[in-house]
Amino acid sequence: MSKRQSWALMGASAALFVLAVMSAGCATAVKDLKIVENATAETVTLGYRALNSFDTTKVQLIRARALTGDIGGSFTELDAYVDLRTKVFTALDTAESLLNTTDKLIDAVAAGVEKPSALVGQIPKLIQAALDVKDALTALGVKL
Amino acid sequence: MTPDIANLLNLAAEVGKGLYDIVSAAITAKQEELAALNSRLADTLAAMRGERTKTHADTAAREAALRAELEAMKTKGESK
């Protein structure tokens, strides 16, 4: 190895090391955010599935009530249930929208369009969105 | 350049190469880890979007069918 090659290699090593140290913090933050994003998306997916399954049962129960002759009561029960179901959909759709926003934000930061500081606060928002989904489903009588 | 300085330079270059290899390997491992995470996340998000569309469609269809049935029952009851 010539002296010039030695100096070049040492310089490249030092530059790479500095770059690695500088980017490590940002990369870890993005990785953590993606882990939370994935967990939230799994919760939301389960939430949609649970709601769909619950809805099947609920509609059958309301139909059964109507068949006993209590049509007025069935309409009332259906309307009350739809109100609650709408709240669950709102929580689920809000979380889904936040996940899509987060995904776009990460891409924008990676592309240099947005500053990394734009990602600050996304993790607590995602966790809150997942908790809102759980609360809305619990209010409906569904436990995740 | 004295032999001592030349030896020192060679030693420093060896250390530099070792450092370079370690950092390169670490970066490659991190990139692979991130790629796996990205792939998993893309699958999860796609599943979520599919589930969203399906649940909205299924519940709306069930509600519409039930309302139609209830209306029919109500009309039948009123006509008796």
Side-chain angles (χ1 to χ4, degrees):
Chain A
M1 190 183 292
S2 73
K3 275 180 278 179
R4 185 172 287 183
Q5 282 175 318
S6 301
W7 285 114
L9 193 58
M10 280 165 45
S13 304
L16 192 64
F17 186 73
V18 169
L19 191 68
V21 169
M22 283 172 69
S23 63
C26 185
T28 304
V30 170
K31 189 184 151 198
D32 288 347
L33 179 55
K34 288 194 174 196
I35 289 169
V36 174
E37 199 186 349
N38 194 61
T40 307
E42 280 173 354
T43 304
V44 173
T45 305
L46 281 175
Y48 280 122
R49 279 187 199 147
L51 179 60
N52 205 350
S53 177
F54 181 83
D55 188 79
T56 306
T57 308
K58 189 69 183 176
V59 164
Q60 282 171 353
L61 287 172
I62 295 171
R63 183 179 289 116
R65 182 177 181 176
L67 289 171
T68 64
D70 187 7
I71 297 165
S74 300
F75 267 117
T76 307
E77 191 178 349
L78 177 61
D79 289 338
Y81 163 64
V82 167
D83 279 348
L84 275 176
R85 193 185 67 190
T86 302
K87 285 176 186 165
V88 179
F89 265 130
T90 302
L92 286 165
D93 294 348
T94 302
E96 197 246 1
S97 174
L98 182 65
L99 284 161
N100 289 330
T101 307
T102 304
D103 220 34
K104 283 177 188 161
L105 209 52
I106 292 172
D107 288 345
V109 169
V113 179
E114 285 279 354
K115 288 180 182 173
S117 59
L119 298 177
V120 174
Q122 286 303 112
I123 288 180
K125 280 183 195 171
L126 286 170
I127 292 170
Q128 188 57 57
L131 288 172
D132 289 346
V133 165
K134 186 182 170 290
D135 288 348
L137 280 164
T138 303
L140 192 65
V142 180
K143 284 186 180 174
L144 273 188
Chain B
M1 187 180 290
T2 64
D4 281 350
I5 292 176
N7 283 341
L8 202 61
L9 264 180
N10 276 335
L11 188 65
E14 287 299 319
V15 171
K17 188 179 178 308
L19 189 64
Y20 180 89
D21 289 344
I22 290 167
V23 174
S24 287
I27 288 174
T28 305
K30 282 278 173 201
Q31 282 172 340
E32 283 172 2
E33 196 183 338
L34 201 59
L37 183 60
N38 282 341
S39 172
R40 198 168 79 235
L41 181 59
D43 289 348
T44 311
L45 288 174
M48 178 190 71
R49 287 172 192 135
E51 214 60 55
R52 176 187 192 272
T53 307
K54 187 178 183 306
T55 304
H56 273 282
D58 287 355
T59 53
R62 264 184 231 116
E63 185 189 339
L66 180 60
R67 282 196 189 279
E69 277 181 57
L70 293 180
E71 285 294 343
M73 285 182 204
K74 190 178 163 189
T75 308
K76 197 176 164 186
E78 282 169 356
S79 67
K80 276 184 184 174

